[in-house]
């Protein structure tokens, strides 16, 4: 009997792509891990949650399949809103562990107290939890979707190995009813089981998956881990001669193997080099991209680019490597909001600034490869003596790789007026500076953030402060425009924003807006043209890569395709509104939010945990595909710089003719070669 159960589990693993080649590699580690899985002790050891309040569950004899009791679960009656009801137990678990779960489910016969709303479903769900706890990923059994279905079938689910960061597995008996129907759905559960499976199955894990050496680092490393069990055997090959690898083969069980990569720039005559490392194993293959540059023969110019506005156009005179100015050309902003972060980066400004120094060599290479030409940074790179050398090295690297910088001058958009002259005077003559930015969604109000980051009680006060800050920048630098970053352009009302733009903040040259209206921008550009004669750029657009299926707490799974589709459709809309291609259009382009995930943003504030928390977009249910913004999942690359599908979508879109001027200028690094 036990071998038969193991064989059925093996078949389920095969369906999800995790079958083992030998039966001896799999076994049941425990009998039922659940306490009171048959409900004979009423609701003891079970926890529950539901919405709305009319939903719920009880233990009752009428729900029993065996013994005296079973679970009677129900959604809200006479409500057209979305409803769910579930109860659960949490069991300790670790990464790499595999579980199988089952329960008998029935929909009782219709009666005065029993109904079933169309498209409702019930299932067994297994969710892996982090320490916060947040759901890392979950898996569902097949669903019971029909009314009047008596007990008979066993509904079961077997998971792949638990992801890194797992501390518990949650067994869930789940009932869901979609919005739009006043019926109440009722389902029964009984005889629930949860068992751990011993799977002697290695799994290759590599981190990070890209290395950026810049033009100054000679040695970096990546780690190989076995995130499964058993023994992982691996081999490494490279496709270039200009770097060496410390080990090319090995075996890994529970330890971490560190692979050192050393580059040799001697005798190289190009500026940019890209290579690849292939790691193959007995369960999984990975690759690591290697980016390296040599020192340019021509020094970085010490004079700025000249940037002006012409109607709705942004006109850029690039500073060439020989110090001369190129002719003025219309500029298309295509890039990313860039706030580099590592696992462990905290929200303090010193930590976030330090992350620029940690990541710029790799991030700028990935951005260049994505056909981006601009980064918008919420925080300057640092102006004190301990950071200035790194800050200028970052700007130099941006210039060498054709990346212009929209730099926030008032420190995180927080109206730090004292920070403005320090930033502007320190960086205004660097040829990579495109614009200065002030504020960030400063017209929006939340209980935790009155206008302009806790400084002003009214919008007019905040607008007057913005005007003063814009004038301050203009008194220090007349070579670059000043941009102000709004939230929605019709909040609180279009009339109020119109007054800000046209009557109060007249010193602002370019307006940025963080726009989340859905998979397109709808009437945004028409609304702006009716409001202003100044250019607009999308300082934030996009969506997160986590598909939230229910809250609270937020539960769901990573969905790269969902994010990529949303971003692509937004790019298609944006490409039709570029002023550089049609001077009657109002938009300069946009910077997707955001380049990389930031684990510091929500949850319990633990910067080493990838939380699923965020907020429901009640103000606009279609702002994101699932109506929920998961704050730590907006990156087009992960915190470890694993590229998501949206990265490749942007690479194709930004590189297409829709985002390209026919007379575009060669990248500065290419001009360096031409001038040598």
């Amino acid at each position: 009997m036990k071998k038969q159960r193991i064989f059925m589990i093996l078949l389920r693993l095969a369906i999800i792509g995790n079958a083992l080649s030998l039966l001896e590699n799999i076994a049941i580690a425990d009998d039922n891990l659940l306490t009171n899985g048959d409900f004979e002790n009423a609701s003891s050891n079970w926890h529950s949650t539901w919405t709305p309040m009319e939903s719920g569950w009880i233990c009752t004899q009428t729900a029993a399949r065996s013994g005296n009791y079973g679970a009677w679960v129900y959604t809200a009656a006479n409500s057209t809103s979305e409803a769910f009801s579930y109860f659960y137990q949490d069991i300790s678990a670790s990464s790499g562990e595999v579980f199988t779960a089952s329960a008998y489910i029935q929909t009782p016969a219709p009666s005065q107290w029993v109904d079933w709303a169309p498209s409702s479903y019930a299932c067994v769900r297994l969710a892996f939890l982090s320490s916060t706890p947040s759901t890392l990923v979950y898996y569902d059994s097949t669903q019971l979707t029909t009314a009047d279905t008596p007990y008979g079938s066993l509904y079961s689910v077997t998971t792949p190995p638990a992801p890194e960061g797992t501390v518990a597995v949650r067994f869930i008996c789940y009932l869901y009813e979609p919005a739009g129907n006043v019926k109440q759905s009722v389902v029964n559960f009984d005889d629930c089981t949860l068992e751990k499976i011993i799977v002697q199955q290695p799994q290759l894990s590599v981190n990070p998956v890209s290395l950026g050496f810049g033009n100054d680092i000679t040695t970096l490393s990546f780690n190989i881990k076995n995130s499964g069990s058993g023994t992982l055997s691996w081999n490494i090959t490279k496709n270039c001669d200009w770097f060496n690898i410390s080990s090319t083969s090995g075996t890994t069980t529970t330890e971490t193997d560190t692979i050192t990569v050393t580059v040799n720039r001697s005798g190289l005559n190009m500026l940019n080099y890209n290579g690849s490392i292939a790691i193959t194993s007995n369960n999984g293959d990975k690759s690591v991209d290697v980016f390296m540059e040599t020192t340019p023969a021509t020094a970085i110019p010490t004079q700025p680019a000249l940037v002006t506005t012409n109607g709705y156009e942004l006109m850029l005179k690039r500073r060439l490597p020989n110090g001369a100015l190129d002719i003025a050309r219309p500029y298309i902003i295509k890039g990313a909001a860039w706030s580099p972060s590592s696992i462990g980066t905290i929200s303090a400004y010193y930590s976030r600034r330090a992350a620029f120094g940690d990541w710029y060599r790799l991030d700028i290479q990935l951005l260049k490869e994505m056909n981006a030409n601009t980064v918008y940074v919420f925080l300057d790179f640092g102006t004190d003596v301990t950071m200035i050398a790194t800050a200028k090295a970052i700007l130099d690297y941006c210039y060498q790789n054709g990346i212009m910088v929209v730099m926030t001058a008032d420190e995180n958009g927080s109206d730090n007026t004292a920070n403005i002259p320090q930033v502007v005077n320190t960086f205004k003559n660097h040829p990579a500076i495109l614009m200065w930015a002030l504020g960030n969604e400063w017209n929006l109000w939340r209980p935790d953030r009155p206008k302009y980051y806790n400084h002003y009680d009214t919008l007019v006060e905040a607008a007057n402060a913005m005007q003063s800050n814009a004038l301050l920048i203009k008194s220090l630098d007349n070579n670059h425009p000043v941009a102000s970053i709004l939230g929605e352009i019709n909040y609180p009302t279009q009339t109020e924003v119109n007054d800000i733009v046209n009557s109060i903040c007249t010193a602002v040259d370019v307006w940025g807006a963080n726009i989340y209206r859905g998979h397109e921008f709808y009437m945004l550009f028409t609304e702006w043209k009716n409001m202003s004669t100044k250019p607009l750029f999308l300082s934030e657009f996009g969506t997160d890569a986590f598909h939230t299926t229910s809250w609270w707490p937020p539960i769901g799974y990573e969905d790269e395709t969902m994010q990529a589709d949303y971003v692509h459709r937004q790019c298609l809309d944006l490409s039709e509104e570029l002023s550089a291609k049609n001077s009657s259009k109002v938009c300069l382009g946009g910077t997707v939010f955001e380049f990389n995930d930031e684990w510091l943003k929500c949850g319990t504030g633990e910067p080493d945990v990838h939380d699923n928390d965020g907020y429901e977009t009640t103000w606009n249910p279609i702002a994101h595909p699932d109506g929920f913004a998961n704050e730590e999942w907006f990156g087009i690359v992960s915190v470890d710089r694993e590229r998501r599908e949206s990265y490749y979508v942007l690479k194709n879109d930004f590189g297409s003719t829709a985002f390209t001027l026919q007379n575009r200028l060669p990248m500065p690094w290419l001009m360096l070669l031409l001038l040598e």
Side-chain angles (χ1 to χ4, degrees), residues 303-307 405 407 409 420-421 423-430 433-437 469-482 507 509:
Q303 306 100 332
L306 301 186
V307 191
V405 179
M407 183 177 288
I420 291 174
V423 171
V424 174
N425 287 330
T426 300
F427 302 122
K428 66 182 180 181
N429 290 323
H430 199 284
I433 294 293
L434 182 70
M435 287 189 289
W436 306 110
N469 288 340
L471 289 171
L472 174 59
I473 292 179
K474 287 180 175 294
S475 71
L476 302 170
D477 177 21
N478 58 12
N479 292 323
H480 302 96
V482 178
D509 304 298

Side-chain angles (χ1 to χ4, degrees), residues 37-63:
D38 55 7
F39 307 106
E40 295 307 294
N41 192 20
S43 59
S44 176
N45 296 98
W46 292 97
H47 308 278
S48 59
T49 186
W50 55 76
T51 189
M53 288 304 296
E54 294 81 4
S55 304
W57 81 290
I58 58 173
C59 288
T60 174
Q61 291 180 323
T62 57

Side-chain angles (χ1 to χ4, degrees), residues 500-573:
I500 292 171
V501 171
N502 294 301
S503 300
I504 304 177
C505 299
T506 55
V508 172
D509 304 298
V510 174
W511 290 91
N514 299 345
I515 300 297
Y516 298 97
R517 294 190 175 188
H519 63 258
E520 61 181 78
F521 303 108
Y522 298 97
M523 296 301 293
L524 170 70
F525 304 108
T526 299
E527 292 167 1
W528 185 258
K529 192 165 189 175
N530 292 336
M531 181 183 297
S532 176
T533 58
K534 293 183 177 180
L536 174 75
F537 85 99
L538 301 186
S539 39
E540 290 185 18
F541 69 96
T543 192
D544 62 270
F546 192 86
H547 190 154
T548 300
T549 56
S550 65
W551 55 85
W552 296 96
I555 295 175
Y557 54 91
E558 184 174 9
D559 191 342
E560 293 187 25
T561 301
M562 174 191 71
Q563 182 192 38
D565 177 68
Y566 230 56
V567 169
H568 176 57
R569 294 166 77 178
Q570 290 173 329
C571 282
L572 291 178
D573 193 11

Side-chain angles (χ1 to χ4, degrees), residues 16 119 138 170 179 191 242 336 501 507:
I16 59 176
S119 300
Y138 72 83
R170 175 169 290 179
D191 299 326
W242 45 267
V501 171

Side-chain angles (χ1 to χ4, degrees), residues 593-616:
F593 183 81
E594 60 182 325
F595 180 68
N596 54 268
D597 287 344
E598 295 180 84
W599 288 17
L600 55 86
K601 299 193 73 173
C602 61
T604 61
E606 295 182 31
D608 56 350
V609 176
H610 201 186
D611 293 298
N612 300 339
D613 286 351
Y615 53 90
E616 183 183 359

